[in-house]
């Protein structure tokens, strides 16, 4: 599903070049459950952003479903993000003035789906996440676990093939963190490709495949040959 | 993304930052209101002047004997070149055109007017019944000159208010006989006081039939002929008709001068229109200032909503869509501000109209359109930069913050 060839990403910090990603080669199959671990500044978030098309590599090639996406225009990349990729963030990033239901509706609104279809899917997503009774609450009226569930519903409502989670439990207490992980793993069992970036070894170990990054390079990959 | 969704989303974000929205609406509406009020004032001035001219008579064409023109040649050629006089016959000949509604011959002189022991020199106007309608005068008492043959010298007269007061005091006046020069005239009416209209003191005059004044001053010529055209558009053809008719009657000599009040009116009109536009332009500056305020506040909004913009990008909004969202927000603000401004402006106009009832306040339609257009234009123009900035935000940076 995903193939990275010789990916480089270099940031300029002051007048110093920082290699955030050095020569990354990676192949990920559809439906895999993968965790990326490593210390701060090891490049794991950069890799995730790159996979999510929020960032462009300085060199190398990124193929998503066989299509070279590094050279696509902004509009084409936006379309891929809309239809194929879902994001879950550490800080949830819900729009504070919108209700839970409206936040979930957002990607479908951007995609221009018809209203009745949107409502149908929102209702289904709320039900799947077990937060139907919180539909009309705004984010500041929800607990952390509930917010992250709204965020997951929003990330998956367009039925993407790839779900990218950046420290999804980093801002949650243990119990709700476990709930969120359960939800993500259920989604993965139903066929979505799940990539989780985390500091937390316990969460990282749950994945079927672990990547360990240090200084912008993958040093261990537990992929079965 | 559907238009209705864009509108709803923008409304939501406007509603989400109420004090910001209120400030921008205020700025926008003050700009629009000032454009409206100032244009209305300019327009009122224009209408006021037009109204003054209309009180002299509408579509008026004035025929004077003699021709004024600058021509070369020996001075001796001018000597002895006395203009042929205009006569009652000339005036009557003009009546034959269907483009002409009224014709009033006019002679003016000054003669002593006396009643009882009182006597005073007073301007005497000699004309016909049509004068009343051409000059838009009103009768205070009795009636105006009778509609008779023009050459019939009836011994009747109509007095202005001041003349009546000076000669008669509070005594009854209708049916009394006054002496003008060496003749006696019966008073049949009093003009209503109309103040002074462009140099003619309506109060201080006596009007007699044109044939009577010609006998009084022993002349057969006319001072001028007043002609009222049927419409403003007909005036050029009326002028042509007059010069043609008089030339035929004067053996091919074009020895009259025709002037129209329209020419004067048009000049005033142009000046005042320019004035209105200038004033509106000054008011438009306040709209420009409102635009800059909008830009400023929009930039702050972009900074405040960095995360939201980053999120929209992550959810699959292309740059253009983000530009559109911000422009839609600005357009909504401008339209709401313009609407509010229209209300404030109209209330302001109403107040001015209430306190200065003499001013014919009224906003020309183009001013409404211009105010809304300029508001929308500045709103969009000054939001372009913030919207672009929002669209170019790096989503990684935007989402890295909490």
């Amino acid at each position: 599903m995903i193939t990275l060839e010789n990916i480089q990403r270099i940031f300029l910090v002051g007048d110093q070049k920082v290699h955030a990603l050095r020569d990354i080669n990676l192949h990920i199959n559809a439906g895999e459950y993968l965790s990326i671990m490593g210390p701060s500044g090891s490049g794991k978030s950069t890799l995730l952003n790159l996979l999510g098309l929020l960032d462009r590599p300085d060199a190398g090639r990124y193929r998503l479903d066989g299509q070279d996406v590094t050279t696509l225009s902004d509009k084409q990349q936006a379309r891929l993000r809309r239809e194929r990729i879902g994001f879950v963030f550490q800080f949830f990033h819900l729009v504070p003035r919108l209700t839970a239901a409206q936040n979930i509706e957002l990607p479908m609104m951007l995609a221009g789906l018809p209203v009745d279809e949107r409502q149908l899917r929102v209702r289904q997503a709320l039900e799947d996440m077990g937060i139907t009774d919180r539909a009309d609450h705004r984010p500041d009226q929800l607990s952390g676990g509930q917010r992250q569930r709204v965020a997951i519903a929003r990330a998956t409502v367009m039925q993407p093939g790839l779900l990218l989670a950046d420290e999804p439990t980093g801002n949650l207490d243990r119990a709700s963190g476990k709930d969120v992980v359960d939800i993500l793993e259920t989604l993965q069992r139903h066929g979505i490709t799940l990539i989780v970036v985390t500091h937390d070894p316990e969460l990282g170990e749950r994945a079927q495949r672990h990547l360990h990054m240090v200084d912008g390079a993958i040093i261990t990959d537990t992929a079965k040959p | 993304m559907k238009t209705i969704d864009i509108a709803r989303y923008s409304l939501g974000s406007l509603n989400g930052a109420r004090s910001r929205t209120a400030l921008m609406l205020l700025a926008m509406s003050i700009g629009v209101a000032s454009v409206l009020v100032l244009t209305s004032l300019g327009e009122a001035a224009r209408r006021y002047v037009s109204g003054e001219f209309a009180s002299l008579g509408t579509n008026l064409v004035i025929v004077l004997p003699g021709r004024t023109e600058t021509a070369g040649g020996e001075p001796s050629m001018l000597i002895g070149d006395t203009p042929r006089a205009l006569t009652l016959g000339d005036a009557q000949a003009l009546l034959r055109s269907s483009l002409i509604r009224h014709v009033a011959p006019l002679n003016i002189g000054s003669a002593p007017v006396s009643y009882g022991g009182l006597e005073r020199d007073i301007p005497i106007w000699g004309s016909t019944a049509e004068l009343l309608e051409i000059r838009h005068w009103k009768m205070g008492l009795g009636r105006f000159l009778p509609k008779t043959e023009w050459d019939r010298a009836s011994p009747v007269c109509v007095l202005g208010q001041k003349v009546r007061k000076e000669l008669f005091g509070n005594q009854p006046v209708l049916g009394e006989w006054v002496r003008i020069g060496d003749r006696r005239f019966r008073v049949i009416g009093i003009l209503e006081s109309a103040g002074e209209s462009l140099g003619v003191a309506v109060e201080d005059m006596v009007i007699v039939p044109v044939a009577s004044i010609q006998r009084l001053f022993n002349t057969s010529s006319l001072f001028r002929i007043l002609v009222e055209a049927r419409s403003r558009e007909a005036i050029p053809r009326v002028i042509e008709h007059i010069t043609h008719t008089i030339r035929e009657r004067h053996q091919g000599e074009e020895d009259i001068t025709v002037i129209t009040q329209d020419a004067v009116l048009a000049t005033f009109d142009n000046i005042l229109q320019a004035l209105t536009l200038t004033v509106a332009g000054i008011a438009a500056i306040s709209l420009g200032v409102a635009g800059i305020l909008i830009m400023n506040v929009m930039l702050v909004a972009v900074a405040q909503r960095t995360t939201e913009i980053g999120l929209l990008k992550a959810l699959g909004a292309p740059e253009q869509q983000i530009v559109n969202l911000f422009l839609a927000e600005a357009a909504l603000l401008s339209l709401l501000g313009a609407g509010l401004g229209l209300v404030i402006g109209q209330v302001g106009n109403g107040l001015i109209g209430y306190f200065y009832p003499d001013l014919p306040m009224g906003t020309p339609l183009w001013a409404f359109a211009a105010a809304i257009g300029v508001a929308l234009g500045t709103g969009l123009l000054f939001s372009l930069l913030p919207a672009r900035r929002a669209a170019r935000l790096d989503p990684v940076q935007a989402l890295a913050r909490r």
Side-chain angles (χ1 to χ4, degrees):
Chain A
M1 185 193 195
I2 293 173
T3 311
L4 299 182
E5 292 167 19
N6 308 322
I7 292 288
Q8 302 264 8
R9 184 72 177 105
I10 300 164
F11 293 116
L12 276 175
V13 179
D15 50 2
Q16 223 174 353
K17 282 186 182 175
V18 175
H19 280 261
L21 296 175
R22 304 170 194 264
D23 205 22
I24 300 282
N25 287 289
L26 186 63
H27 182 82
I28 301 168
N29 290 315
E32 266 196 273
Y33 179 10
L34 186 113
S35 67
I36 306 173
M37 288 181 286
S40 305
S42 60
K44 52 190 195 308
S45 288
T46 309
L47 180 59
L48 195 77
N49 289 331
L50 213 129
L51 289 172
L53 295 173
L54 290 179
D55 204 355
R56 286 170 189 259
D58 295 303
R61 191 184 293 179
Y62 171 13
R63 262 202 279 252
L64 180 63
D65 293 331
Q67 185 186 10
D68 187 351
V69 295
T70 35
T71 55
L72 293 181
S73 70
D74 164 70
K75 211 172 167 184
Q76 291 165 315
Q77 289 201 340
R79 189 187 170 88
L80 285 177
R81 285 200 294 273
R82 197 159 65 216
E83 293 174 352
R84 307 249 190 103
I85 303 169
F87 289 93
V88 176
F89 306 96
Q90 180 180 1
F91 299 112
F92 325 127
H93 290 322
L94 301 177
V95 180
R97 64 167 186 278
L98 299 181
T99 64
Q102 286 169 333
N103 265 293
I104 296 171
E105 194 184 354
L106 204 53
M108 296 187 286
M109 194 181 86
L110 292 173
L113 293 188
V115 176
D116 37 353
E117 160 119 39
R118 273 156 33 184
Q119 280 169 348
L120 207 71
R121 286 212 213 172
V122 166
R123 209 173 306 140
Q124 186 63 46
L126 285 165
E127 206 172 297
D128 290 347
M129 296 295 149
I131 45 174
T132 305
D133 55 332
R134 314 305 269 170
D136 296 325
H137 289 60
R138 283 200 308 276
D140 56 0
Q141 299 163 313
L142 298 173
S143 73
Q146 287 167 337
R147 288 189 213 178
Q148 196 59 301
R149 282 192 236 182
V150 173
I152 294 171
R154 183 183 62 192
T156 53
V157 78
M158 290 293 289
Q159 295 159 351
L162 177 61
L163 187 58
L164 305 173
D166 192 354
E167 300 280 9
T169 60
N171 227 26
L172 297 176
D173 61 72
R174 245 186 121 65
S176 36
K178 190 179 173 311
D179 286 347
V180 164
V181 172
D182 283 344
I183 291 169
L184 291 175
E185 289 177 355
T186 310
L187 286 165
Q188 187 265 332
R189 274 197 298 280
H190 284 95
I192 211 167
T193 310
L194 177 61
I195 301 177
V196 180
V197 162
T198 183
H199 270 107
D200 179 7
E202 200 180 322
L203 172 58
E205 292 303 323
R206 295 179 67 98
Q208 294 148 359
R209 179 179 170 187
H210 316 140
L211 296 186
H212 218 90
M213 292 185 70
V214 173
D215 283 342
I218 299 171
I219 53 166
T220 51
D221 181 353
T222 63
K224 286 148 202 148
Chain B
M1 202 170 171
K2 293 189 167 75
T3 316
I4 175 95
D5 287 326
I6 293 178
R8 201 175 293 151
Y9 191 85
S10 306
L11 261 184
S13 56
L14 288 181
N15 200 25
R18 295 221 178 122
S19 54
R20 179 166 75 85
T21 307
L23 269 179
M24 292 212 271
L25 281 182
L26 188 67
M28 211 33 144
S29 55
I30 288 174
V32 170
S34 58
V35 167
L36 279 189
V37 170
L38 289 176
T39 9
S40 303
L41 276 177
E43 182 71 6
R46 200 175 66 82
R47 286 190 198 176
Y48 181 76
V49 171
S50 303
E52 282 288 287
F53 271 89
S55 73
L56 288 182
T58 29
N59 307 324
L60 199 60
V61 178
I62 302 164
V63 186
L64 290 82
R67 180 152 184 85
T68 46
E69 61 182 16
T70 41
E74 293 290 311
S76 63
M77 286 175 68
L78 298 172
I79 297 169
D81 190 15
T82 40
R84 223 172 300 256
L86 283 172
T87 63
L88 267 182
D90 290 336
Q92 246 154 352
L94 296 180
L95 268 178
R96 277 182 225 124
S97 168
S98 61
L99 297 170
I100 291 173
R101 185 174 285 147
H102 296 299
V103 174
L106 184 63
N107 244 348
I108 295 183
S110 184
V113 179
S114 61
Y115 174 76
L118 299 167
E119 181 180 287
R120 193 162 88 79
D121 260 21
I122 293 170
I124 315 288
W125 284 41
S127 189
T128 60
E130 285 79 8
L131 183 71
L132 187 73
E133 285 172 64
I134 289 180
R135 294 303 301 260
H136 296 196
W137 286 335
K138 291 209 171 59
M139 294 307 294
L141 263 180
R143 55 196 172 79
F144 198 66
L145 301 176
K147 290 199 177 185
T148 55
E149 297 294 313
W150 287 3
D151 49 9
R152 202 169 135 200
S154 322
V156 293
C157 69
V158 174
L159 307 183
Q161 289 283 6
K162 188 178 167 198
V163 179
R164 173 189 110 134
K165 204 169 287 169
E166 284 181 355
L167 291 182
F168 292 91
N170 289 325
Q171 297 172 43
V173 57
L174 290 185
E176 296 297 316
W177 290 82
V178 293
R179 177 170 285 281
I180 302 176
D182 53 358
R183 287 164 186 270
R184 273 156 51 86
F185 290 85
R186 195 161 58 89
V187 178
I188 57 168
I190 306 293
L191 282 173
E192 191 178 89
S193 179
E196 188 155 325
S197 79
L198 250 73
V200 178
V202 178
E203 311 213 317
D204 195 19
M205 66 194 314
V206 175
I207 303 167
V208 298
V210 65
S212 306
I213 201 171
Q214 285 182 332
R215 295 210 189 145
L216 200 61
F217 294 114
N218 193 23
T219 172
S220 63
S221 64
L222 291 175
F223 175 59
R224 57 189 53 171
I225 304 174
L226 304 179
V227 177
E228 185 183 328
R230 279 209 185 272
S231 67
R232 198 172 188 162
E233 294 71 41
I235 287 175
R237 280 186 291 153
V238 167
I239 294 172
E240 209 174 292
H241 168 76
I242 292 169
T243 38
H244 182 77
T245 311
I246 304 288
R247 190 166 48 216
E248 278 198 344
R249 293 177 57 86
H250 289 191
Q251 291 90 39
E253 287 286 342
E254 195 179 318
D255 54 0
I256 52 163
T257 299
V258 180
I259 55 175
T260 64
Q261 58 158 1
D262 270 50
V264 186
L265 183 57
T267 310
F268 265 94
D269 219 56
N270 285 344
I271 292 170
L272 289 163
Q273 189 104 45
L275 188 81
T276 306
L277 284 176
T278 313
V279 166
I282 291 168
I285 291 174
S286 63
L287 268 178
V289 173
I292 291 170
L293 183 76
I294 282 187
M295 175 155 74
N296 207 342
V297 179
M298 276 288 194
L299 282 173
V300 174
V302 169
Q304 276 177 346
R305 281 154 66 189
T306 309
T307 322
E308 182 184 329
I309 296 161
L311 174 75
L312 289 175
K313 287 192 144 188
L315 293 180
E319 288 187 3
Q320 188 57 49
Q321 206 165 41
I322 288 168
V323 171
N324 289 349
L325 278 176
F326 273 84
L327 288 186
E329 216 173 299
L332 269 176
L333 258 184
S334 309
L335 283 181
L336 287 176
L340 199 62
L342 290 186
V343 174
I344 296 175
Q346 286 303 79
V347 169
N349 284 346
L351 284 178
I352 294 173
Y354 178 77
F355 287 111
Y356 301 95
D358 281 350
L359 270 182
M361 292 295 285
T363 317
L365 269 183
W366 62 261
F368 286 109
I372 296 173
V374 174
L376 199 58
T378 46
L380 286 179
L381 187 73
F382 285 104
S383 299
L384 216 52
L385 179 80
R388 285 260 173 85
R389 182 171 289 189
R392 300 242 170 91
L393 269 181
D394 177 8
V396 174
Q397 296 265 321
L399 290 168
R401 298 194 234 171
R402 299 195 47 157

